[in-house]
Amino acid sequence: MKVTLNRVNENFHFELKNERGHIVNVDARPDFGGNDMGPSPMELILMGVAGCSGIDMISILKKQRQEITSFKADVEGEREQVGDAKPFKNIYVVFYLEGNIKEDKALKAAQLSFEKYCSVAKTVEPTATIHYIVVLNGSPIVSPLTPEGGTSNK
Protein backbone atom coordinates (compact mmCIF):
# COMPACT_ATOMS: atom_id res chain seq x y z
CA MET A 1 0.00 0.00 0.00
CA LYS A 2 1.42 3.38 -0.97
CA VAL A 3 0.26 7.00 -1.19
CA THR A 4 1.99 10.03 -2.69
CA LEU A 5 1.74 13.53 -1.24
CA ASN A 6 2.19 16.73 -3.26
CA ARG A 7 2.09 20.25 -1.83
CA VAL A 8 -0.55 22.35 -3.62
CA ASN A 9 0.06 25.84 -2.21
CA GLU A 10 2.47 27.79 -0.03
CA ASN A 11 0.62 26.78 3.13
CA PHE A 12 -0.58 23.31 4.19
CA HIS A 13 -2.81 22.21 1.33
CA PHE A 14 -1.69 18.78 0.09
CA GLU A 15 -3.05 16.44 -2.53
CA LEU A 16 -2.64 12.76 -1.71
CA LYS A 17 -3.02 10.04 -4.31
CA ASN A 18 -3.09 6.31 -3.85
CA GLU A 19 -1.76 3.74 -6.30
CA ARG A 20 -5.19 3.42 -7.94
CA GLY A 21 -5.35 7.17 -8.67
CA HIS A 22 -7.86 8.23 -6.00
CA ILE A 23 -7.20 11.76 -4.74
CA VAL A 24 -7.80 13.26 -1.30
CA ASN A 25 -7.05 16.86 -0.37
CA VAL A 26 -5.68 17.56 3.11
CA ASP A 27 -5.26 20.97 4.71
CA ALA A 28 -5.09 22.74 8.03
CA ARG A 29 -7.73 25.06 9.45
CA PRO A 30 -7.25 28.81 8.90
CA ASP A 31 -6.51 29.32 12.61
CA PHE A 32 -3.49 27.05 12.11
CA GLY A 33 -2.37 28.81 8.92
CA GLY A 34 -4.16 26.63 6.40
CA ASN A 35 -6.80 27.38 3.79
CA ASP A 36 -9.32 24.71 4.84
CA MET A 37 -9.21 23.02 1.42
CA GLY A 38 -9.73 19.55 2.86
CA PRO A 39 -10.00 17.59 6.06
CA SER A 40 -7.14 17.65 8.55
CA PRO A 41 -5.02 14.52 9.02
CA MET A 42 -6.75 13.86 12.35
CA GLU A 43 -10.17 14.13 10.68
CA LEU A 44 -8.96 11.58 8.14
CA ILE A 45 -8.32 9.17 11.01
CA LEU A 46 -11.93 9.57 12.18
CA MET A 47 -13.09 9.10 8.60
CA GLY A 48 -10.96 5.97 8.43
CA VAL A 49 -12.58 4.57 11.57
CA ALA A 50 -16.04 5.26 10.11
CA GLY A 51 -15.23 3.81 6.69
CA CYS A 52 -13.38 0.75 7.95
CA SER A 53 -16.01 -0.21 10.51
CA GLY A 54 -18.78 0.56 8.00
CA ILE A 55 -17.28 -1.82 5.44
CA ASP A 56 -16.92 -4.49 8.13
CA MET A 57 -20.45 -4.14 9.45
CA ILE A 58 -22.14 -4.13 6.07
CA SER A 59 -20.08 -7.12 4.96
CA ILE A 60 -20.98 -9.07 8.11
CA LEU A 61 -24.67 -8.17 7.92
CA LYS A 62 -24.89 -9.01 4.21
CA LYS A 63 -23.38 -12.45 4.87
CA GLN A 64 -26.10 -12.93 7.49
CA ARG A 65 -28.73 -11.93 4.91
CA GLN A 66 -29.85 -8.85 6.84
CA GLU A 67 -31.66 -6.21 4.77
CA ILE A 68 -29.90 -2.83 5.22
CA THR A 69 -31.83 0.11 3.78
CA SER A 70 -29.72 2.85 5.39
CA PHE A 71 -26.36 2.94 7.14
CA LYS A 72 -24.83 6.08 8.67
CA ALA A 73 -22.31 6.81 11.39
CA ASP A 74 -21.26 9.81 13.45
CA VAL A 75 -17.70 9.72 14.74
CA GLU A 76 -16.23 12.15 17.24
CA GLY A 77 -12.72 12.20 18.65
CA GLU A 78 -11.54 13.48 22.02
CA ARG A 79 -7.86 14.41 22.08
CA GLU A 80 -5.36 14.88 24.90
CA GLN A 81 -2.02 16.65 25.11
CA VAL A 82 0.91 14.21 25.15
CA GLY A 83 4.13 16.18 24.95
CA ASP A 84 3.81 18.34 21.86
CA ALA A 85 1.27 16.06 20.18
CA LYS A 86 -2.49 15.66 20.69
CA PRO A 87 -3.45 12.07 19.88
CA PHE A 88 -6.98 10.78 20.27
CA LYS A 89 -7.80 9.54 23.77
CA ASN A 90 -11.39 8.50 23.06
CA ILE A 91 -13.30 7.98 19.84
CA TYR A 92 -17.09 7.84 19.99
CA VAL A 93 -19.04 6.15 17.19
CA VAL A 94 -22.80 6.07 16.76
CA PHE A 95 -24.05 3.76 14.01
CA TYR A 96 -27.51 4.40 12.56
CA LEU A 97 -28.91 1.38 10.76
CA GLU A 98 -32.29 0.96 9.16
CA GLY A 99 -33.86 -2.07 7.62
CA ASN A 100 -34.95 -5.58 8.45
CA ILE A 101 -32.00 -6.27 10.74
CA LYS A 102 -31.99 -8.35 13.90
CA GLU A 103 -30.75 -6.42 16.94
CA ASP A 104 -28.29 -9.07 18.06
CA LYS A 105 -26.76 -9.27 14.58
CA ALA A 106 -26.34 -5.49 14.33
CA LEU A 107 -24.66 -5.28 17.72
CA LYS A 108 -22.46 -8.31 17.02
CA ALA A 109 -21.37 -6.81 13.68
CA ALA A 110 -20.15 -3.66 15.46
CA GLN A 111 -18.42 -5.71 18.14
CA LEU A 112 -16.65 -7.91 15.57
CA SER A 113 -15.57 -4.89 13.57
CA PHE A 114 -13.86 -3.15 16.46
CA GLU A 115 -12.56 -6.21 18.29
CA LYS A 116 -11.41 -8.28 15.32
CA TYR A 117 -11.55 -6.84 11.81
CA CYS A 118 -11.15 -3.05 11.60
CA SER A 119 -7.48 -2.34 10.89
CA VAL A 120 -7.95 1.38 11.52
CA ALA A 121 -9.39 0.69 14.97
CA LYS A 122 -6.50 -1.65 15.71
CA THR A 123 -4.07 1.06 14.57
CA VAL A 124 -5.46 3.68 16.99
CA GLU A 125 -6.12 1.16 19.79
CA PRO A 126 -2.79 1.73 21.60
CA THR A 127 -3.71 5.35 22.35
CA ALA A 128 -7.49 5.63 21.93
CA THR A 129 -10.47 3.76 23.30
CA ILE A 130 -13.29 3.40 20.79
CA HIS A 131 -16.77 3.57 22.30
CA TYR A 132 -19.75 2.71 20.11
CA ILE A 133 -23.50 2.61 20.13
CA VAL A 134 -25.79 1.04 17.55
CA VAL A 135 -29.13 2.70 16.79
CA LEU A 136 -31.44 0.39 14.85
CA ASN A 137 -34.53 1.82 13.17
CA GLY A 138 -34.39 4.84 15.50
CA SER A 139 -33.92 2.93 18.77
CA PRO A 140 -30.60 2.41 20.57
CA ILE A 141 -29.79 -1.26 21.02
CA VAL A 142 -29.09 -2.02 24.65
CA SER A 143 -26.06 -4.21 24.94
CA PRO A 144 -25.88 -6.86 27.64
CA LEU A 145 -22.37 -5.52 28.29
CA THR A 146 -23.44 -2.07 29.48
CA PRO A 147 -26.75 -0.62 30.68
CA GLU A 148 -26.43 2.42 28.40
CA GLY A 149 -26.36 0.35 25.25
CA GLY A 150 -22.81 1.31 24.38
CA THR A 151 -19.69 -0.74 24.38
CA SER A 152 -15.98 -0.17 24.15
CA ASN A 153 -13.12 -1.91 22.40
CA LYS A 154 -10.98 -1.86 25.57
Side-chain angles (χ1 to χ4, degrees):
M1 187 177 297
K2 179 182 175 182
V3 297
T4 303
L5 177 141
N6 286 305
R7 189 175 181 196
V8 175
N9 66 16
E10 68 284 353
N11 293 326
F12 305 112
H13 181 193
F14 301 106
E15 180 181 276
L16 293 113
K17 185 185 297 187
N18 68 6
E19 294 173 296
R20 296 181 316 281
H22 301 290
I23 296 172
V24 174
N25 287 281
V26 175
D27 202 350
R29 297 181 317 266
D31 59 330
F32 192 74
N35 299 103
D36 204 20
M37 300 299 293
S40 72
M42 293 301 283
E43 289 169 326
L44 287 176
I45 291 173
L46 296 179
M47 290 177 182
V49 168
C52 184
S53 60
I55 289 169
D56 291 341
M57 288 182 66
I58 289 174
S59 175
I60 291 165
L61 292 170
K62 278 184 161 187
K63 286 176 186 171
Q64 297 174 338
R65 303 192 191 285
Q66 301 300 293
E67 296 175 28
I68 308 160
T69 58
S70 178
F71 185 96
K72 297 178 185 177
D74 287 332
V75 183
E76 189 172 331
E78 176 186 18
R79 297 168 71 181
E80 69 176 342
Q81 196 74 42
V82 176
D84 291 331
K86 285 182 71 176
F88 288 116
K89 177 182 179 181
N90 290 293
I91 297 174
Y92 302 95
V93 184
V94 181
F95 295 108
Y96 299 93
L97 289 79
E98 293 184 13
N100 188 10
I101 305 165
K102 293 182 180 176
E103 285 187 6
D104 62 329
K105 292 188 183 292
L107 193 59
K108 185 68 173 178
Q111 179 186 5
L112 284 170
S113 176
F114 288 123
E115 292 180 6
K116 187 173 182 181
Y117 296 117
C118 181
S119 298
V120 179
K122 292 297 183 188
T123 299
V124 300
E125 196 173 75
T127 60
T129 301
I130 299 176
H131 309 270
Y132 58 93
I133 295 172
V134 178
V135 178
L136 179 58
N137 296 319
S139 298
I141 299 174
V142 177
S143 166
L145 303 175
T146 63
E148 301 85 29
T151 53
S152 171
N153 71 331
K154 285 192 178 178

